[in-house]
Structures are given as structure tokens and as C-alpha cells.
Amino acid sequence: MSACETCVVRNRAICASLDSNELETLNTIGRRRILAPGESLIWEGEDSVLVANVIDGVLKLSTGTEDGREQIVGVVYPSDFIGRPFGSTTGHGVTALTEAKVCVFSRRDFDAFAREHPALEHKLLQRTLGELDRTRRWMLLLGRKSAGERVASFIMEMSERLVEQGCQGSHDQPLKRFTLPFSRQQVADVLGLTIETVSRQFTRLKSEGLIDLPSRREVVILDREGLIAEAG
């Protein structure tokens, strides 16, 4: 049995558009890889030699500033696609936040395969447009929302994106309880806030009965409607 046939995100990932024979061909050019937390898969500014499907785990997309600081510019989850197909260089680094399992392809091999399978190219276009929509929402969050609205929006995003992966399509309900794959400092970096502000907002949301915080990284949503209103 091929890796594609046993893949838990097969019906969610871009390869969902392929039939069994096409999946068998794709399986011959891909390989599974496990990343430890903190291990990088792709480096900013280097030649685009790899693309990958995320099978399990959470990874960050980051870029560096001229003075050496890191800015997290995105987060990818199981069934997401990472890398730059049809491109010569990579605009950001990709690093595992948790232990992650990915299905890696040579970018040139994947490009050649995609050109021969229009359904896969169409799926890539859909993913790209979806990512563009999320980026625009994130621009609104960073540019217009208050600190409280940013943290509430972040919690809502995590509850929707950290659902258990499987082959049941996209009908999963947002999680009420989950473990953040981020430290408080990383949350602050993502939201453009200080760590002190992030900690105060988590404490405030807890005191108002919208969430509970059993541990430093565990979050329980107690009042989803209230949290939605808080997110603006």
C-alpha cells in the first residue's frame, strides 16, 4: 500500500484532485520526512528546490529583518502546501513549531507533474487564492484591530485550524480545547504586540469568562459567541 493511500490528509490536500493511478505516480516522486521542533525545511532567499504537503504538525513561515530580527509571516497546518512551485527562490523560511510530518517533493519534479495534471494546478490556484484571502484578513488584524481584538482573533483562528485531521472533508467543528503550538513570545511576534500585552489580554479574557487557561499553552473556549464579539 502506497504512502498516498494511507495518508490521513489525502482528501484535504491538493492531491485530493488525483485518481489512484495519478496518486501512484505522485507517490514515486515524493518521500516522507519527520521534522523535530525547531528544525527548518526551507530557508529564506535560497533556491526553491523543495515543496511539500504537511501531513501532521504545525510549521511557521518567517522572514528576517535587516537588523537580524525574525518576523513570523504565516503558519501552516496539516493538509497545507508549502514551498514555491514554479519559482526560482524562496521568499521565507519554513521551520517546525511542533514535531511535524511532511511529504516532500523535488520542486522540479513536482512542477513537471503539475503541468501534466490540470486538476492539480487548479487545486494549487484555489489554495493560493485562499491564502491570499487569509493574508488580507491578517493585514486588517495587524493594521486596524486593538490588542484585545488581535488576541481574540488569534484564539479563534487556532480553534479552527488545529482540528483533528482525517479523511472526512472540511466539516470539522472548531475545537473548544486545544494546545497552542506557540510560546507567548511567538504569539506576540505573530500579532505585532509585546509579550506583556499578550499575557495581559489572555488574563483579561480568562477573567471575563470567555476562555480558561489550564496551563500556559492550553486554551479552553468557554464562550465562543463572546469571543467572536471580542474579536470584532
Side-chain angles (χ1 to χ4, degrees), residues 25-33 41-42 47-53 81-87 103-115 120 124:
T25 302
L26 183 65
N27 188 64
T28 64
I29 64 172
R31 59 186 176 87
R32 295 283 181 92
R33 180 172 170 183
L41 178 67
I42 297 173
D47 291 343
S48 177
V49 296
L50 296 177
V51 296
N53 274 329
F81 186 80
I82 52 180
R84 181 70 184 273
F86 310 111
C103 187
V104 180
F105 306 91
S106 157
R107 197 264 300 172
R108 289 187 177 181
D109 289 345
F110 184 85
D111 287 358
F113 182 87
R115 289 190 184 99
L120 182 64
L124 274 173

PDB file of all heavy atoms in Angstrom, residues 25-33 41-42 47-53 81-87 103-115 120 124:
ATOM      1  N   THR A  25       1.670   7.613  -9.307  1.00  0.00           N
ATOM      2  CA  THR A  25       2.780   8.311  -9.955  1.00  0.00           C
ATOM      3  C   THR A  25       3.363   9.372  -9.034  1.00  0.00           C
ATOM      4  O   THR A  25       4.584   9.507  -8.907  1.00  0.00           O
ATOM      5  CB  THR A  25       2.307   8.965 -11.260  1.00  0.00           C
ATOM      6  OG1 THR A  25       1.763   7.960 -12.127  1.00  0.00           O
ATOM      7  CG2 THR A  25       3.459   9.655 -11.965  1.00  0.00           C
ATOM      8  N   LEU A  26       2.486  10.132  -8.369  1.00  0.00           N
ATOM      9  CA  LEU A  26       2.952  11.169  -7.445  1.00  0.00           C
ATOM     10  C   LEU A  26       3.747  10.551  -6.301  1.00  0.00           C
ATOM     11  O   LEU A  26       4.757  11.113  -5.854  1.00  0.00           O
ATOM     12  CB  LEU A  26       1.757  11.949  -6.898  1.00  0.00           C
ATOM     13  CG  LEU A  26       2.072  13.128  -5.963  1.00  0.00           C
ATOM     14  CD1 LEU A  26       2.831  14.214  -6.704  1.00  0.00           C
ATOM     15  CD2 LEU A  26       0.789  13.695  -5.359  1.00  0.00           C
ATOM     16  N   ASN A  27       3.322   9.388  -5.848  1.00  0.00           N
ATOM     17  CA  ASN A  27       3.990   8.712  -4.735  1.00  0.00           C
ATOM     18  C   ASN A  27       5.440   8.362  -5.067  1.00  0.00           C
ATOM     19  O   ASN A  27       6.299   8.336  -4.189  1.00  0.00           O
ATOM     20  CB  ASN A  27       3.215   7.447  -4.368  1.00  0.00           C
ATOM     21  CG  ASN A  27       3.725   6.787  -3.111  1.00  0.00           C
ATOM     22  OD1 ASN A  27       3.670   7.347  -2.029  1.00  0.00           O
ATOM     23  ND2 ASN A  27       4.238   5.569  -3.263  1.00  0.00           N
ATOM     24  N   THR A  28       5.717   8.123  -6.345  1.00  0.00           N
ATOM     25  CA  THR A  28       7.075   7.749  -6.744  1.00  0.00           C
ATOM     26  C   THR A  28       8.051   8.912  -6.671  1.00  0.00           C
ATOM     27  O   THR A  28       9.272   8.695  -6.619  1.00  0.00           O
ATOM     28  CB  THR A  28       7.091   7.176  -8.174  1.00  0.00           C
ATOM     29  OG1 THR A  28       6.674   8.196  -9.096  1.00  0.00           O
ATOM     30  CG2 THR A  28       6.184   5.970  -8.289  1.00  0.00           C
ATOM     31  N   ILE A  29       7.555  10.163  -6.684  1.00  0.00           N
ATOM     32  CA  ILE A  29       8.470  11.308  -6.650  1.00  0.00           C
ATOM     33  C   ILE A  29       8.494  11.986  -5.272  1.00  0.00           C
ATOM     34  O   ILE A  29       9.212  12.963  -5.073  1.00  0.00           O
ATOM     35  CB  ILE A  29       8.124  12.353  -7.736  1.00  0.00           C
ATOM     36  CG1 ILE A  29       6.738  12.974  -7.494  1.00  0.00           C
ATOM     37  CG2 ILE A  29       8.196  11.735  -9.121  1.00  0.00           C
ATOM     38  CD1 ILE A  29       6.429  14.147  -8.413  1.00  0.00           C
ATOM     39  N   GLY A  30       7.690  11.482  -4.332  1.00  0.00           N
ATOM     40  CA  GLY A  30       7.638  12.078  -3.003  1.00  0.00           C
ATOM     41  C   GLY A  30       8.291  11.188  -1.952  1.00  0.00           C
ATOM     42  O   GLY A  30       8.513   9.992  -2.173  1.00  0.00           O
ATOM     43  N   ARG A  31       8.613  11.772  -0.819  1.00  0.00           N
ATOM     44  CA  ARG A  31       9.153  10.998   0.296  1.00  0.00           C
ATOM     45  C   ARG A  31       8.690  11.627   1.607  1.00  0.00           C
ATOM     46  O   ARG A  31       8.504  12.841   1.702  1.00  0.00           O
ATOM     47  CB  ARG A  31      10.684  10.939   0.258  1.00  0.00           C
ATOM     48  CG  ARG A  31      11.368  12.292   0.313  1.00  0.00           C
ATOM     49  CD  ARG A  31      12.879  12.171   0.118  1.00  0.00           C
ATOM     50  NE  ARG A  31      13.533  13.473   0.083  1.00  0.00           N
ATOM     51  CZ  ARG A  31      13.958  14.129   1.149  1.00  0.00           C
ATOM     52  NH1 ARG A  31      13.800  13.590   2.366  1.00  0.00           N
ATOM     53  NH2 ARG A  31      14.559  15.303   1.041  1.00  0.00           N
ATOM     54  N   ARG A  32       8.476  10.796   2.602  1.00  0.00           N
ATOM     55  CA  ARG A  32       8.061  11.265   3.922  1.00  0.00           C
ATOM     56  C   ARG A  32       9.276  11.751   4.713  1.00  0.00           C
ATOM     57  O   ARG A  32      10.352  11.169   4.613  1.00  0.00           O
ATOM     58  CB  ARG A  32       7.359  10.149   4.693  1.00  0.00           C
ATOM     59  CG  ARG A  32       6.030   9.693   4.084  1.00  0.00           C
ATOM     60  CD  ARG A  32       4.929  10.660   4.373  1.00  0.00           C
ATOM     61  NE  ARG A  32       3.657  10.223   3.817  1.00  0.00           N
ATOM     62  CZ  ARG A  32       2.761   9.496   4.473  1.00  0.00           C
ATOM     63  NH1 ARG A  32       3.009   9.114   5.717  1.00  0.00           N
ATOM     64  NH2 ARG A  32       1.621   9.168   3.908  1.00  0.00           N
ATOM     65  N   ARG A  33       9.065  12.775   5.503  1.00  0.00           N
ATOM     66  CA  ARG A  33      10.143  13.277   6.360  1.00  0.00           C
ATOM     67  C   ARG A  33       9.539  13.776   7.665  1.00  0.00           C
ATOM     68  O   ARG A  33       8.471  14.402   7.663  1.00  0.00           O
ATOM     69  CB  ARG A  33      10.895  14.412   5.655  1.00  0.00           C
ATOM     70  CG  ARG A  33      12.040  14.987   6.477  1.00  0.00           C
ATOM     71  CD  ARG A  33      12.872  15.962   5.673  1.00  0.00           C
ATOM     72  NE  ARG A  33      13.812  16.670   6.526  1.00  0.00           N
ATOM     73  CZ  ARG A  33      14.626  17.624   6.098  1.00  0.00           C
ATOM     74  NH1 ARG A  33      14.612  17.971   4.815  1.00  0.00           N
ATOM     75  NH2 ARG A  33      15.447  18.227   6.935  1.00  0.00           N
ATOM     76  N   LEU A  41      12.967  23.346   7.192  1.00  0.00           N
ATOM     77  CA  LEU A  41      12.833  22.593   5.943  1.00  0.00           C
ATOM     78  C   LEU A  41      13.266  23.440   4.752  1.00  0.00           C
ATOM     79  O   LEU A  41      13.891  22.941   3.813  1.00  0.00           O
ATOM     80  CB  LEU A  41      11.379  22.147   5.755  1.00  0.00           C
ATOM     81  CG  LEU A  41      11.060  21.393   4.468  1.00  0.00           C
ATOM     82  CD1 LEU A  41      11.767  20.035   4.457  1.00  0.00           C
ATOM     83  CD2 LEU A  41       9.554  21.201   4.305  1.00  0.00           C
ATOM     84  N   ILE A  42      12.934  24.731   4.799  1.00  0.00           N
ATOM     85  CA  ILE A  42      13.241  25.659   3.711  1.00  0.00           C
ATOM     86  C   ILE A  42      13.836  26.920   4.325  1.00  0.00           C
ATOM     87  O   ILE A  42      13.397  27.362   5.391  1.00  0.00           O
ATOM     88  CB  ILE A  42      11.970  25.993   2.904  1.00  0.00           C
ATOM     89  CG1 ILE A  42      11.414  24.720   2.237  1.00  0.00           C
ATOM     90  CG2 ILE A  42      12.230  27.072   1.860  1.00  0.00           C
ATOM     91  CD1 ILE A  42      10.058  24.914   1.564  1.00  0.00           C
ATOM     92  N   ASP A  47      17.592  28.903  -3.163  1.00  0.00           N
ATOM     93  CA  ASP A  47      16.945  28.359  -4.351  1.00  0.00           C
ATOM     94  C   ASP A  47      15.739  27.516  -3.948  1.00  0.00           C
ATOM     95  O   ASP A  47      15.779  26.783  -2.953  1.00  0.00           O
ATOM     96  CB  ASP A  47      17.926  27.485  -5.137  1.00  0.00           C
ATOM     97  CG  ASP A  47      19.040  28.293  -5.785  1.00  0.00           C
ATOM     98  OD1 ASP A  47      18.870  29.522  -5.902  1.00  0.00           O
ATOM     99  OD2 ASP A  47      20.065  27.700  -6.152  1.00  0.00           O
ATOM    100  N   SER A  48      14.673  27.624  -4.715  1.00  0.00           N
ATOM    101  CA  SER A  48      13.461  26.858  -4.440  1.00  0.00           C
ATOM    102  C   SER A  48      13.643  25.442  -4.976  1.00  0.00           C
ATOM    103  O   SER A  48      13.445  25.185  -6.162  1.00  0.00           O
ATOM    104  CB  SER A  48      12.256  27.539  -5.099  1.00  0.00           C
ATOM    105  OG  SER A  48      11.080  26.785  -4.899  1.00  0.00           O
ATOM    106  N   VAL A  49      14.047  24.532  -4.101  1.00  0.00           N
ATOM    107  CA  VAL A  49      14.324  23.165  -4.540  1.00  0.00           C
ATOM    108  C   VAL A  49      13.318  22.159  -3.992  1.00  0.00           C
ATOM    109  O   VAL A  49      13.248  21.033  -4.480  1.00  0.00           O
ATOM    110  CB  VAL A  49      15.753  22.736  -4.130  1.00  0.00           C
ATOM    111  CG1 VAL A  49      16.784  23.589  -4.841  1.00  0.00           C
ATOM    112  CG2 VAL A  49      15.949  22.793  -2.619  1.00  0.00           C
ATOM    113  N   LEU A  50      12.532  22.547  -2.985  1.00  0.00           N
ATOM    114  CA  LEU A  50      11.587  21.626  -2.364  1.00  0.00           C
ATOM    115  C   LEU A  50      10.201  22.251  -2.263  1.00  0.00           C
ATOM    116  O   LEU A  50      10.059  23.468  -2.077  1.00  0.00           O
ATOM    117  CB  LEU A  50      12.035  21.258  -0.944  1.00  0.00           C
ATOM    118  CG  LEU A  50      13.340  20.491  -0.757  1.00  0.00           C
ATOM    119  CD1 LEU A  50      13.606  20.322   0.734  1.00  0.00           C
ATOM    120  CD2 LEU A  50      13.279  19.137  -1.441  1.00  0.00           C
ATOM    121  N   VAL A  51       9.185  21.419  -2.372  1.00  0.00           N
ATOM    122  CA  VAL A  51       7.820  21.769  -1.980  1.00  0.00           C
ATOM    123  C   VAL A  51       7.303  20.605  -1.151  1.00  0.00           C
ATOM    124  O   VAL A  51       7.884  19.504  -1.171  1.00  0.00           O
ATOM    125  CB  VAL A  51       6.892  22.029  -3.191  1.00  0.00           C
ATOM    126  CG1 VAL A  51       7.356  23.233  -3.989  1.00  0.00           C
ATOM    127  CG2 VAL A  51       6.807  20.794  -4.084  1.00  0.00           C
ATOM    128  N   ALA A  52       6.233  20.817  -0.395  1.00  0.00           N
ATOM    129  CA  ALA A  52       5.786  19.739   0.498  1.00  0.00           C
ATOM    130  C   ALA A  52       4.328  19.901   0.895  1.00  0.00           C
ATOM    131  O   ALA A  52       3.803  21.019   0.961  1.00  0.00           O
ATOM    132  CB  ALA A  52       6.655  19.708   1.755  1.00  0.00           C
ATOM    133  N   ASN A  53       3.690  18.783   1.175  1.00  0.00           N
ATOM    134  CA  ASN A  53       2.394  18.736   1.838  1.00  0.00           C
ATOM    135  C   ASN A  53       2.633  18.496   3.324  1.00  0.00           C
ATOM    136  O   ASN A  53       3.467  17.658   3.688  1.00  0.00           O
ATOM    137  CB  ASN A  53       1.533  17.590   1.305  1.00  0.00           C
ATOM    138  CG  ASN A  53       0.745  17.987   0.074  1.00  0.00           C
ATOM    139  OD1 ASN A  53       0.352  19.137  -0.096  1.00  0.00           O
ATOM    140  ND2 ASN A  53       0.515  17.009  -0.802  1.00  0.00           N
ATOM    141  N   PHE A  81      -0.086  23.286   1.931  1.00  0.00           N
ATOM    142  CA  PHE A  81       1.016  23.093   0.982  1.00  0.00           C
ATOM    143  C   PHE A  81       2.056  24.167   1.229  1.00  0.00           C
ATOM    144  O   PHE A  81       1.719  25.342   1.419  1.00  0.00           O
ATOM    145  CB  PHE A  81       0.476  23.194  -0.451  1.00  0.00           C
ATOM    146  CG  PHE A  81       1.490  22.874  -1.513  1.00  0.00           C
ATOM    147  CD1 PHE A  81       1.798  21.565  -1.831  1.00  0.00           C
ATOM    148  CD2 PHE A  81       2.128  23.893  -2.222  1.00  0.00           C
ATOM    149  CE1 PHE A  81       2.722  21.262  -2.816  1.00  0.00           C
ATOM    150  CE2 PHE A  81       3.051  23.603  -3.207  1.00  0.00           C
ATOM    151  CZ  PHE A  81       3.355  22.279  -3.504  1.00  0.00           C
ATOM    152  N   ILE A  82       3.331  23.794   1.233  1.00  0.00           N
ATOM    153  CA  ILE A  82       4.392  24.762   1.489  1.00  0.00           C
ATOM    154  C   ILE A  82       5.440  24.693   0.380  1.00  0.00           C
ATOM    155  O   ILE A  82       5.598  23.682  -0.290  1.00  0.00           O
ATOM    156  CB  ILE A  82       5.065  24.532   2.858  1.00  0.00           C
ATOM    157  CG1 ILE A  82       5.513  23.074   3.018  1.00  0.00           C
ATOM    158  CG2 ILE A  82       4.156  24.929   3.990  1.00  0.00           C
ATOM    159  CD1 ILE A  82       6.192  22.783   4.347  1.00  0.00           C
ATOM    160  N   GLY A  83       6.125  25.801   0.196  1.00  0.00           N
ATOM    161  CA  GLY A  83       7.128  25.890  -0.849  1.00  0.00           C
ATOM    162  C   GLY A  83       6.638  26.749  -2.001  1.00  0.00           C
ATOM    163  O   GLY A  83       5.503  27.240  -2.007  1.00  0.00           O
ATOM    164  N   ARG A  84       7.489  26.943  -2.966  1.00  0.00           N
ATOM    165  CA  ARG A  84       7.201  27.830  -4.084  1.00  0.00           C
ATOM    166  C   ARG A  84       7.313  27.075  -5.413  1.00  0.00           C
ATOM    167  O   ARG A  84       8.358  27.060  -6.033  1.00  0.00           O
ATOM    168  CB  ARG A  84       8.163  29.015  -4.064  1.00  0.00           C
ATOM    169  CG  ARG A  84       7.963  30.028  -5.174  1.00  0.00           C
ATOM    170  CD  ARG A  84       6.680  30.794  -4.989  1.00  0.00           C
ATOM    171  NE  ARG A  84       6.444  31.699  -6.114  1.00  0.00           N
ATOM    172  CZ  ARG A  84       6.923  32.943  -6.195  1.00  0.00           C
ATOM    173  NH1 ARG A  84       7.673  33.420  -5.212  1.00  0.00           N
ATOM    174  NH2 ARG A  84       6.667  33.695  -7.235  1.00  0.00           N
ATOM    175  N   PRO A  85       6.215  26.408  -5.853  1.00  0.00           N
ATOM    176  CA  PRO A  85       6.275  25.765  -7.165  1.00  0.00           C
ATOM    177  C   PRO A  85       6.378  26.828  -8.257  1.00  0.00           C
ATOM    178  O   PRO A  85       5.908  27.953  -8.097  1.00  0.00           O
ATOM    179  CB  PRO A  85       4.946  25.005  -7.251  1.00  0.00           C
ATOM    180  CG  PRO A  85       4.039  25.699  -6.296  1.00  0.00           C
ATOM    181  CD  PRO A  85       4.909  26.245  -5.206  1.00  0.00           C
ATOM    182  N   PHE A  86       7.030  26.472  -9.345  1.00  0.00           N
ATOM    183  CA  PHE A  86       7.196  27.358 -10.498  1.00  0.00           C
ATOM    184  C   PHE A  86       7.942  28.647 -10.129  1.00  0.00           C
ATOM    185  O   PHE A  86       7.773  29.670 -10.772  1.00  0.00           O
ATOM    186  CB  PHE A  86       5.836  27.716 -11.119  1.00  0.00           C
ATOM    187  CG  PHE A  86       4.967  26.525 -11.389  1.00  0.00           C
ATOM    188  CD1 PHE A  86       3.820  26.294 -10.662  1.00  0.00           C
ATOM    189  CD2 PHE A  86       5.323  25.605 -12.378  1.00  0.00           C
ATOM    190  CE1 PHE A  86       3.021  25.187 -10.902  1.00  0.00           C
ATOM    191  CE2 PHE A  86       4.527  24.497 -12.635  1.00  0.00           C
ATOM    192  CZ  PHE A  86       3.374  24.281 -11.902  1.00  0.00           C
ATOM    193  N   GLY A  87       8.753  28.599  -9.092  1.00  0.00           N
ATOM    194  CA  GLY A  87       9.523  29.769  -8.678  1.00  0.00           C
ATOM    195  C   GLY A  87      10.980  29.404  -8.480  1.00  0.00           C
ATOM    196  O   GLY A  87      11.315  28.253  -8.175  1.00  0.00           O
ATOM    197  N   CYS A 103       5.315  15.505   3.453  1.00  0.00           N
ATOM    198  CA  CYS A 103       5.572  14.736   2.239  1.00  0.00           C
ATOM    199  C   CYS A 103       6.305  15.677   1.288  1.00  0.00           C
ATOM    200  O   CYS A 103       5.720  16.658   0.813  1.00  0.00           O
ATOM    201  CB  CYS A 103       4.265  14.246   1.629  1.00  0.00           C
ATOM    202  SG  CYS A 103       4.495  13.110   0.240  1.00  0.00           S
ATOM    203  N   VAL A 104       7.574  15.400   1.042  1.00  0.00           N
ATOM    204  CA  VAL A 104       8.457  16.330   0.342  1.00  0.00           C
ATOM    205  C   VAL A 104       8.648  15.894  -1.112  1.00  0.00           C
ATOM    206  O   VAL A 104       8.796  14.706  -1.409  1.00  0.00           O
ATOM    207  CB  VAL A 104       9.828  16.393   1.048  1.00  0.00           C
ATOM    208  CG1 VAL A 104      10.768  17.351   0.339  1.00  0.00           C
ATOM    209  CG2 VAL A 104       9.649  16.823   2.497  1.00  0.00           C
ATOM    210  N   PHE A 105       8.652  16.900  -2.001  1.00  0.00           N
ATOM    211  CA  PHE A 105       8.888  16.662  -3.420  1.00  0.00           C
ATOM    212  C   PHE A 105       9.991  17.590  -3.920  1.00  0.00           C
ATOM    213  O   PHE A 105      10.084  18.742  -3.482  1.00  0.00           O
ATOM    214  CB  PHE A 105       7.625  16.945  -4.248  1.00  0.00           C
ATOM    215  CG  PHE A 105       6.410  16.213  -3.811  1.00  0.00           C
ATOM    216  CD1 PHE A 105       5.542  16.785  -2.887  1.00  0.00           C
ATOM    217  CD2 PHE A 105       6.125  14.951  -4.302  1.00  0.00           C
ATOM    218  CE1 PHE A 105       4.401  16.111  -2.476  1.00  0.00           C
ATOM    219  CE2 PHE A 105       4.988  14.266  -3.888  1.00  0.00           C
ATOM    220  CZ  PHE A 105       4.128  14.841  -2.971  1.00  0.00           C
ATOM    221  N   SER A 106      10.800  17.088  -4.833  1.00  0.00           N
ATOM    222  CA  SER A 106      11.677  17.984  -5.569  1.00  0.00           C
ATOM    223  C   SER A 106      10.800  18.985  -6.313  1.00  0.00           C
ATOM    224  O   SER A 106       9.829  18.600  -6.971  1.00  0.00           O
ATOM    225  CB  SER A 106      12.534  17.187  -6.556  1.00  0.00           C
ATOM    226  OG  SER A 106      12.981  18.012  -7.606  1.00  0.00           O
ATOM    227  N   ARG A 107      11.125  20.277  -6.226  1.00  0.00           N
ATOM    228  CA  ARG A 107      10.295  21.289  -6.868  1.00  0.00           C
ATOM    229  C   ARG A 107      10.223  21.072  -8.379  1.00  0.00           C
ATOM    230  O   ARG A 107       9.160  21.212  -8.983  1.00  0.00           O
ATOM    231  CB  ARG A 107      10.840  22.680  -6.547  1.00  0.00           C
ATOM    232  CG  ARG A 107       9.864  23.828  -6.811  1.00  0.00           C
ATOM    233  CD  ARG A 107      10.072  24.467  -8.166  1.00  0.00           C
ATOM    234  NE  ARG A 107      11.406  25.002  -8.276  1.00  0.00           N
ATOM    235  CZ  ARG A 107      11.904  25.481  -9.420  1.00  0.00           C
ATOM    236  NH1 ARG A 107      11.188  25.445 -10.527  1.00  0.00           N
ATOM    237  NH2 ARG A 107      13.135  25.950  -9.460  1.00  0.00           N
ATOM    238  N   ARG A 108      11.322  20.708  -9.012  1.00  0.00           N
ATOM    239  CA  ARG A 108      11.312  20.487 -10.460  1.00  0.00           C
ATOM    240  C   ARG A 108      10.446  19.295 -10.834  1.00  0.00           C
ATOM    241  O   ARG A 108       9.676  19.345 -11.809  1.00  0.00           O
ATOM    242  CB  ARG A 108      12.742  20.297 -10.962  1.00  0.00           C
ATOM    243  CG  ARG A 108      13.575  21.585 -10.937  1.00  0.00           C
ATOM    244  CD  ARG A 108      14.920  21.381 -11.599  1.00  0.00           C
ATOM    245  NE  ARG A 108      15.680  22.621 -11.628  1.00  0.00           N
ATOM    246  CZ  ARG A 108      16.879  22.753 -12.165  1.00  0.00           C
ATOM    247  NH1 ARG A 108      17.456  21.685 -12.727  1.00  0.00           N
ATOM    248  NH2 ARG A 108      17.513  23.913 -12.144  1.00  0.00           N
ATOM    249  N   ASP A 109      10.546  18.199 -10.074  1.00  0.00           N
ATOM    250  CA  ASP A 109       9.707  17.032 -10.349  1.00  0.00           C
ATOM    251  C   ASP A 109       8.231  17.371 -10.159  1.00  0.00           C
ATOM    252  O   ASP A 109       7.378  16.964 -10.951  1.00  0.00           O
ATOM    253  CB  ASP A 109      10.089  15.871  -9.424  1.00  0.00           C
ATOM    254  CG  ASP A 109      11.434  15.260  -9.776  1.00  0.00           C
ATOM    255  OD1 ASP A 109      11.935  15.520 -10.882  1.00  0.00           O
ATOM    256  OD2 ASP A 109      11.978  14.525  -8.922  1.00  0.00           O
ATOM    257  N   PHE A 110       7.934  18.126  -9.082  1.00  0.00           N
ATOM    258  CA  PHE A 110       6.545  18.490  -8.818  1.00  0.00           C
ATOM    259  C   PHE A 110       6.011  19.419  -9.912  1.00  0.00           C
ATOM    260  O   PHE A 110       4.874  19.267 -10.356  1.00  0.00           O
ATOM    261  CB  PHE A 110       6.424  19.169  -7.460  1.00  0.00           C
ATOM    262  CG  PHE A 110       5.015  19.490  -7.065  1.00  0.00           C
ATOM    263  CD1 PHE A 110       4.223  18.542  -6.443  1.00  0.00           C
ATOM    264  CD2 PHE A 110       4.461  20.741  -7.345  1.00  0.00           C
ATOM    265  CE1 PHE A 110       2.917  18.818  -6.094  1.00  0.00           C
ATOM    266  CE2 PHE A 110       3.158  21.026  -7.009  1.00  0.00           C
ATOM    267  CZ  PHE A 110       2.377  20.071  -6.375  1.00  0.00           C
ATOM    268  N   ASP A 111       6.813  20.388 -10.338  1.00  0.00           N
ATOM    269  CA  ASP A 111       6.395  21.295 -11.406  1.00  0.00           C
ATOM    270  C   ASP A 111       6.045  20.525 -12.672  1.00  0.00           C
ATOM    271  O   ASP A 111       5.023  20.790 -13.322  1.00  0.00           O
ATOM    272  CB  ASP A 111       7.504  22.305 -11.721  1.00  0.00           C
ATOM    273  CG  ASP A 111       7.670  23.362 -10.639  1.00  0.00           C
ATOM    274  OD1 ASP A 111       6.898  23.337  -9.658  1.00  0.00           O
ATOM    275  OD2 ASP A 111       8.581  24.206 -10.763  1.00  0.00           O
ATOM    276  N   ALA A 112       6.891  19.565 -13.033  1.00  0.00           N
ATOM    277  CA  ALA A 112       6.649  18.771 -14.235  1.00  0.00           C
ATOM    278  C   ALA A 112       5.362  17.960 -14.096  1.00  0.00           C
ATOM    279  O   ALA A 112       4.561  17.869 -15.044  1.00  0.00           O
ATOM    280  CB  ALA A 112       7.840  17.845 -14.494  1.00  0.00           C
ATOM    281  N   PHE A 113       5.148  17.390 -12.918  1.00  0.00           N
ATOM    282  CA  PHE A 113       3.934  16.608 -12.674  1.00  0.00           C
ATOM    283  C   PHE A 113       2.701  17.511 -12.757  1.00  0.00           C
ATOM    284  O   PHE A 113       1.682  17.143 -13.368  1.00  0.00           O
ATOM    285  CB  PHE A 113       4.010  15.944 -11.304  1.00  0.00           C
ATOM    286  CG  PHE A 113       2.831  15.075 -10.969  1.00  0.00           C
ATOM    287  CD1 PHE A 113       2.806  13.744 -11.348  1.00  0.00           C
ATOM    288  CD2 PHE A 113       1.740  15.586 -10.277  1.00  0.00           C
ATOM    289  CE1 PHE A 113       1.711  12.940 -11.046  1.00  0.00           C
ATOM    290  CE2 PHE A 113       0.647  14.797  -9.980  1.00  0.00           C
ATOM    291  CZ  PHE A 113       0.630  13.461 -10.358  1.00  0.00           C
ATOM    292  N   ALA A 114       2.768  18.690 -12.147  1.00  0.00           N
ATOM    293  CA  ALA A 114       1.626  19.600 -12.128  1.00  0.00           C
ATOM    294  C   ALA A 114       1.255  20.057 -13.532  1.00  0.00           C
ATOM    295  O   ALA A 114       0.070  20.200 -13.861  1.00  0.00           O
ATOM    296  CB  ALA A 114       1.917  20.799 -11.235  1.00  0.00           C
ATOM    297  N   ARG A 115       2.253  20.289 -14.373  1.00  0.00           N
ATOM    298  CA  ARG A 115       1.970  20.740 -15.745  1.00  0.00           C
ATOM    299  C   ARG A 115       1.184  19.694 -16.525  1.00  0.00           C
ATOM    300  O   ARG A 115       0.423  20.023 -17.429  1.00  0.00           O
ATOM    301  CB  ARG A 115       3.279  21.060 -16.470  1.00  0.00           C
ATOM    302  CG  ARG A 115       3.976  22.328 -15.977  1.00  0.00           C
ATOM    303  CD  ARG A 115       5.134  22.712 -16.897  1.00  0.00           C
ATOM    304  NE  ARG A 115       5.841  23.868 -16.374  1.00  0.00           N
ATOM    305  CZ  ARG A 115       6.975  23.808 -15.685  1.00  0.00           C
ATOM    306  NH1 ARG A 115       7.517  22.614 -15.409  1.00  0.00           N
ATOM    307  NH2 ARG A 115       7.561  24.907 -15.242  1.00  0.00           N
ATOM    308  N   LEU A 120      -4.607  19.316 -10.658  1.00  0.00           N
ATOM    309  CA  LEU A 120      -3.699  19.650  -9.562  1.00  0.00           C
ATOM    310  C   LEU A 120      -3.326  21.135  -9.620  1.00  0.00           C
ATOM    311  O   LEU A 120      -3.275  21.809  -8.580  1.00  0.00           O
ATOM    312  CB  LEU A 120      -2.442  18.790  -9.639  1.00  0.00           C
ATOM    313  CG  LEU A 120      -1.417  18.988  -8.518  1.00  0.00           C
ATOM    314  CD1 LEU A 120      -2.008  18.588  -7.177  1.00  0.00           C
ATOM    315  CD2 LEU A 120      -0.151  18.183  -8.790  1.00  0.00           C
ATOM    316  N   LEU A 124      -3.961  23.985  -6.779  1.00  0.00           N
ATOM    317  CA  LEU A 124      -2.931  24.918  -6.323  1.00  0.00           C
ATOM    318  C   LEU A 124      -3.421  26.361  -6.403  1.00  0.00           C
ATOM    319  O   LEU A 124      -3.169  27.163  -5.510  1.00  0.00           O
ATOM    320  CB  LEU A 124      -1.667  24.765  -7.179  1.00  0.00           C
ATOM    321  CG  LEU A 124      -0.656  23.701  -6.770  1.00  0.00           C
ATOM    322  CD1 LEU A 124       0.431  23.590  -7.829  1.00  0.00           C
ATOM    323  CD2 LEU A 124      -0.034  24.022  -5.423  1.00  0.00           C
TER     324      LEU A 124
END
